[in-house]
PDB file of all heavy atoms in Angstrom:
ATOM      1  N   ARG A 284     -13.413  -1.425  -0.962  1.00  0.00           N
ATOM      2  CA  ARG A 284     -14.722  -1.186  -0.346  1.00  0.00           C
ATOM      3  C   ARG A 284     -14.517  -0.380   0.931  1.00  0.00           C
ATOM      4  O   ARG A 284     -13.652  -0.709   1.755  1.00  0.00           O
ATOM      5  CB  ARG A 284     -15.425  -2.518  -0.027  1.00  0.00           C
ATOM      6  CG  ARG A 284     -16.820  -2.323   0.607  1.00  0.00           C
ATOM      7  CD  ARG A 284     -17.598  -3.630   0.668  1.00  0.00           C
ATOM      8  NE  ARG A 284     -16.924  -4.647   1.463  1.00  0.00           N
ATOM      9  CZ  ARG A 284     -16.465  -5.795   0.968  1.00  0.00           C
ATOM     10  NH1 ARG A 284     -16.583  -6.076  -0.316  1.00  0.00           N
ATOM     11  NH2 ARG A 284     -15.878  -6.677   1.762  1.00  0.00           N
ATOM     12  N   LEU A 285     -15.324   0.668   1.092  1.00  0.00           N
ATOM     13  CA  LEU A 285     -15.201   1.524   2.271  1.00  0.00           C
ATOM     14  C   LEU A 285     -16.506   2.250   2.558  1.00  0.00           C
ATOM     15  O   LEU A 285     -17.400   2.311   1.708  1.00  0.00           O
ATOM     16  CB  LEU A 285     -14.058   2.535   2.056  1.00  0.00           C
ATOM     17  CG  LEU A 285     -14.082   3.397   0.795  1.00  0.00           C
ATOM     18  CD1 LEU A 285     -14.993   4.620   0.928  1.00  0.00           C
ATOM     19  CD2 LEU A 285     -12.679   3.882   0.452  1.00  0.00           C
ATOM     20  N   ALA A 286     -16.586   2.775   3.767  1.00  0.00           N
ATOM     21  CA  ALA A 286     -17.684   3.657   4.122  1.00  0.00           C
ATOM     22  C   ALA A 286     -17.266   5.072   3.732  1.00  0.00           C
ATOM     23  O   ALA A 286     -16.183   5.527   4.102  1.00  0.00           O
ATOM     24  CB  ALA A 286     -17.988   3.570   5.618  1.00  0.00           C
ATOM     25  N   HIS A 287     -18.094   5.755   2.961  1.00  0.00           N
ATOM     26  CA  HIS A 287     -17.763   7.116   2.554  1.00  0.00           C
ATOM     27  C   HIS A 287     -17.430   7.947   3.785  1.00  0.00           C
ATOM     28  O   HIS A 287     -18.178   7.919   4.779  1.00  0.00           O
ATOM     29  CB  HIS A 287     -18.924   7.741   1.782  1.00  0.00           C
ATOM     30  CG  HIS A 287     -18.591   9.028   1.138  1.00  0.00           C
ATOM     31  ND1 HIS A 287     -18.552  10.232   1.834  1.00  0.00           N
ATOM     32  CD2 HIS A 287     -18.246   9.331  -0.140  1.00  0.00           C
ATOM     33  CE1 HIS A 287     -18.231  11.195   0.998  1.00  0.00           C
ATOM     34  NE2 HIS A 287     -18.030  10.692  -0.208  1.00  0.00           N
ATOM     35  N   PRO A 288     -16.307   8.661   3.789  1.00  0.00           N
ATOM     36  CA  PRO A 288     -15.862   9.324   5.015  1.00  0.00           C
ATOM     37  C   PRO A 288     -16.781  10.428   5.521  1.00  0.00           C
ATOM     38  O   PRO A 288     -16.702  10.791   6.700  1.00  0.00           O
ATOM     39  CB  PRO A 288     -14.490   9.916   4.610  1.00  0.00           C
ATOM     40  CG  PRO A 288     -14.564  10.044   3.117  1.00  0.00           C
ATOM     41  CD  PRO A 288     -15.395   8.875   2.653  1.00  0.00           C
ATOM     42  N   ILE A 289     -17.669  10.928   4.679  1.00  0.00           N
ATOM     43  CA  ILE A 289     -18.587  11.990   5.112  1.00  0.00           C
ATOM     44  C   ILE A 289     -20.023  11.491   5.244  1.00  0.00           C
ATOM     45  O   ILE A 289     -20.684  11.721   6.258  1.00  0.00           O
ATOM     46  CB  ILE A 289     -18.530  13.189   4.147  1.00  0.00           C
ATOM     47  CG1 ILE A 289     -17.079  13.689   4.004  1.00  0.00           C
ATOM     48  CG2 ILE A 289     -19.458  14.307   4.621  1.00  0.00           C
ATOM     49  CD1 ILE A 289     -16.402  14.072   5.305  1.00  0.00           C
ATOM     50  N   THR A 290     -20.501  10.750   4.237  1.00  0.00           N
ATOM     51  CA  THR A 290     -21.894  10.300   4.265  1.00  0.00           C
ATOM     52  C   THR A 290     -22.086   8.983   5.005  1.00  0.00           C
ATOM     53  O   THR A 290     -23.189   8.657   5.435  1.00  0.00           O
ATOM     54  CB  THR A 290     -22.443  10.135   2.841  1.00  0.00           C
ATOM     55  OG1 THR A 290     -21.777   9.027   2.204  1.00  0.00           O
ATOM     56  CG2 THR A 290     -22.209  11.402   2.013  1.00  0.00           C
ATOM     57  N   GLY A 291     -21.022   8.187   5.100  1.00  0.00           N
ATOM     58  CA  GLY A 291     -21.124   6.876   5.727  1.00  0.00           C
ATOM     59  C   GLY A 291     -21.642   5.793   4.802  1.00  0.00           C
ATOM     60  O   GLY A 291     -21.692   4.611   5.193  1.00  0.00           O
ATOM     61  N   GLU A 292     -21.999   6.134   3.580  1.00  0.00           N
ATOM     62  CA  GLU A 292     -22.502   5.139   2.622  1.00  0.00           C
ATOM     63  C   GLU A 292     -21.417   4.117   2.287  1.00  0.00           C
ATOM     64  O   GLU A 292     -20.259   4.467   2.037  1.00  0.00           O
ATOM     65  CB  GLU A 292     -22.951   5.849   1.351  1.00  0.00           C
ATOM     66  CG  GLU A 292     -23.459   4.897   0.262  1.00  0.00           C
ATOM     67  CD  GLU A 292     -23.751   5.617  -1.045  1.00  0.00           C
ATOM     68  OE1 GLU A 292     -23.602   6.845  -1.097  1.00  0.00           O
ATOM     69  OE2 GLU A 292     -24.099   4.917  -2.025  1.00  0.00           O
ATOM     70  N   ILE A 293     -21.779   2.839   2.269  1.00  0.00           N
ATOM     71  CA  ILE A 293     -20.834   1.793   1.888  1.00  0.00           C
ATOM     72  C   ILE A 293     -20.684   1.819   0.360  1.00  0.00           C
ATOM     73  O   ILE A 293     -21.674   1.727  -0.373  1.00  0.00           O
ATOM     74  CB  ILE A 293     -21.312   0.401   2.339  1.00  0.00           C
ATOM     75  CG1 ILE A 293     -21.461   0.376   3.864  1.00  0.00           C
ATOM     76  CG2 ILE A 293     -20.322  -0.677   1.889  1.00  0.00           C
ATOM     77  CD1 ILE A 293     -20.181   0.647   4.634  1.00  0.00           C
ATOM     78  N   MET A 294     -19.456   1.929  -0.091  1.00  0.00           N
ATOM     79  CA  MET A 294     -19.184   2.041  -1.515  1.00  0.00           C
ATOM     80  C   MET A 294     -18.148   0.995  -1.919  1.00  0.00           C
ATOM     81  O   MET A 294     -17.281   0.633  -1.128  1.00  0.00           O
ATOM     82  CB  MET A 294     -18.679   3.442  -1.865  1.00  0.00           C
ATOM     83  CG  MET A 294     -19.592   4.556  -1.338  1.00  0.00           C
ATOM     84  SD  MET A 294     -19.055   6.221  -1.838  1.00  0.00           S
ATOM     85  CE  MET A 294     -19.708   6.266  -3.512  1.00  0.00           C
ATOM     86  N   GLU A 295     -18.249   0.519  -3.161  1.00  0.00           N
ATOM     87  CA  GLU A 295     -17.373  -0.552  -3.619  1.00  0.00           C
ATOM     88  C   GLU A 295     -17.041  -0.347  -5.087  1.00  0.00           C
ATOM     89  O   GLU A 295     -17.910   0.023  -5.880  1.00  0.00           O
ATOM     90  CB  GLU A 295     -18.060  -1.898  -3.406  1.00  0.00           C
ATOM     91  CG  GLU A 295     -17.227  -3.126  -3.735  1.00  0.00           C
ATOM     92  CD  GLU A 295     -17.912  -4.411  -3.265  1.00  0.00           C
ATOM     93  OE1 GLU A 295     -18.151  -4.544  -2.041  1.00  0.00           O
ATOM     94  OE2 GLU A 295     -18.226  -5.258  -4.119  1.00  0.00           O
ATOM     95  N   TRP A 296     -15.775  -0.568  -5.418  1.00  0.00           N
ATOM     96  CA  TRP A 296     -15.317  -0.405  -6.798  1.00  0.00           C
ATOM     97  C   TRP A 296     -14.471  -1.596  -7.209  1.00  0.00           C
ATOM     98  O   TRP A 296     -13.813  -2.245  -6.377  1.00  0.00           O
ATOM     99  CB  TRP A 296     -14.467   0.858  -6.950  1.00  0.00           C
ATOM    100  CG  TRP A 296     -15.174   2.109  -6.567  1.00  0.00           C
ATOM    101  CD1 TRP A 296     -15.949   2.894  -7.362  1.00  0.00           C
ATOM    102  CD2 TRP A 296     -15.184   2.750  -5.281  1.00  0.00           C
ATOM    103  NE1 TRP A 296     -16.441   3.981  -6.657  1.00  0.00           N
ATOM    104  CE2 TRP A 296     -15.986   3.911  -5.369  1.00  0.00           C
ATOM    105  CE3 TRP A 296     -14.574   2.447  -4.050  1.00  0.00           C
ATOM    106  CZ2 TRP A 296     -16.191   4.767  -4.298  1.00  0.00           C
ATOM    107  CZ3 TRP A 296     -14.798   3.286  -2.966  1.00  0.00           C
ATOM    108  CH2 TRP A 296     -15.593   4.443  -3.106  1.00  0.00           C
ATOM    109  N   TYR A 297     -14.480  -1.897  -8.515  1.00  0.00           N
ATOM    110  CA  TYR A 297     -13.655  -2.942  -9.087  1.00  0.00           C
ATOM    111  C   TYR A 297     -12.847  -2.364 -10.252  1.00  0.00           C
ATOM    112  O   TYR A 297     -13.343  -1.507 -10.990  1.00  0.00           O
ATOM    113  CB  TYR A 297     -14.507  -4.114  -9.588  1.00  0.00           C
ATOM    114  CG  TYR A 297     -15.125  -4.916  -8.484  1.00  0.00           C
ATOM    115  CD1 TYR A 297     -16.334  -4.525  -7.894  1.00  0.00           C
ATOM    116  CD2 TYR A 297     -14.515  -6.068  -8.003  1.00  0.00           C
ATOM    117  CE1 TYR A 297     -16.903  -5.255  -6.866  1.00  0.00           C
ATOM    118  CE2 TYR A 297     -15.079  -6.817  -6.978  1.00  0.00           C
ATOM    119  CZ  TYR A 297     -16.267  -6.395  -6.414  1.00  0.00           C
ATOM    120  OH  TYR A 297     -16.829  -7.124  -5.380  1.00  0.00           O
ATOM    121  N   ALA A 298     -11.620  -2.847 -10.402  1.00  0.00           N
ATOM    122  CA  ALA A 298     -10.776  -2.411 -11.515  1.00  0.00           C
ATOM    123  C   ALA A 298     -10.400  -3.642 -12.336  1.00  0.00           C
ATOM    124  O   ALA A 298      -9.820  -4.585 -11.796  1.00  0.00           O
ATOM    125  CB  ALA A 298      -9.517  -1.721 -10.992  1.00  0.00           C
ATOM    126  N   PRO A 299     -10.696  -3.652 -13.624  1.00  0.00           N
ATOM    127  CA  PRO A 299     -10.334  -4.809 -14.445  1.00  0.00           C
ATOM    128  C   PRO A 299      -8.821  -4.989 -14.499  1.00  0.00           C
ATOM    129  O   PRO A 299      -8.056  -4.047 -14.311  1.00  0.00           O
ATOM    130  CB  PRO A 299     -10.910  -4.443 -15.822  1.00  0.00           C
ATOM    131  CG  PRO A 299     -10.980  -2.955 -15.830  1.00  0.00           C
ATOM    132  CD  PRO A 299     -11.309  -2.562 -14.411  1.00  0.00           C
ATOM    133  N   LEU A 300      -8.409  -6.216 -14.749  1.00  0.00           N
ATOM    134  CA  LEU A 300      -6.982  -6.487 -14.849  1.00  0.00           C
ATOM    135  C   LEU A 300      -6.396  -5.709 -16.033  1.00  0.00           C
ATOM    136  O   LEU A 300      -7.004  -5.630 -17.100  1.00  0.00           O
ATOM    137  CB  LEU A 300      -6.736  -7.987 -15.061  1.00  0.00           C
ATOM    138  CG  LEU A 300      -7.121  -8.908 -13.901  1.00  0.00           C
ATOM    139  CD1 LEU A 300      -7.001 -10.364 -14.344  1.00  0.00           C
ATOM    140  CD2 LEU A 300      -6.254  -8.646 -12.681  1.00  0.00           C
ATOM    141  N   PRO A 301      -5.198  -5.146 -15.869  1.00  0.00           N
ATOM    142  CA  PRO A 301      -4.561  -4.418 -16.978  1.00  0.00           C
ATOM    143  C   PRO A 301      -4.125  -5.385 -18.080  1.00  0.00           C
ATOM    144  O   PRO A 301      -4.024  -6.602 -17.877  1.00  0.00           O
ATOM    145  CB  PRO A 301      -3.361  -3.746 -16.305  1.00  0.00           C
ATOM    146  CG  PRO A 301      -3.069  -4.569 -15.107  1.00  0.00           C
ATOM    147  CD  PRO A 301      -4.385  -5.107 -14.639  1.00  0.00           C
ATOM    148  N   ASP A 302      -3.847  -4.820 -19.251  1.00  0.00           N
ATOM    149  CA  ASP A 302      -3.562  -5.647 -20.422  1.00  0.00           C
ATOM    150  C   ASP A 302      -2.364  -6.572 -20.214  1.00  0.00           C
ATOM    151  O   ASP A 302      -2.399  -7.736 -20.655  1.00  0.00           O
ATOM    152  CB  ASP A 302      -3.312  -4.734 -21.640  1.00  0.00           C
ATOM    153  CG  ASP A 302      -4.576  -4.026 -22.091  1.00  0.00           C
ATOM    154  OD1 ASP A 302      -5.683  -4.451 -21.684  1.00  0.00           O
ATOM    155  OD2 ASP A 302      -4.455  -3.043 -22.857  1.00  0.00           O
ATOM    156  N   ASP A 303      -1.309  -6.070 -19.571  1.00  0.00           N
ATOM    157  CA  ASP A 303      -0.130  -6.934 -19.417  1.00  0.00           C
ATOM    158  C   ASP A 303      -0.422  -8.120 -18.498  1.00  0.00           C
ATOM    159  O   ASP A 303       0.089  -9.223 -18.703  1.00  0.00           O
ATOM    160  CB  ASP A 303       1.078  -6.130 -18.922  1.00  0.00           C
ATOM    161  CG  ASP A 303       0.903  -5.595 -17.504  1.00  0.00           C
ATOM    162  OD1 ASP A 303      -0.253  -5.410 -17.049  1.00  0.00           O
ATOM    163  OD2 ASP A 303       1.942  -5.332 -16.847  1.00  0.00           O
TER     164      ASP A 303
END
Side-chain angles (χ1 to χ4, degrees):
R284 181 169 60 244
L285 53 82
H287 190 280
I289 304 304
T290 68
E292 178 187 357
I293 300 299
M294 309 184 80
E295 185 171 298
W296 301 272
Y297 289 84
L300 294 172
D302 291 343
D303 66 336

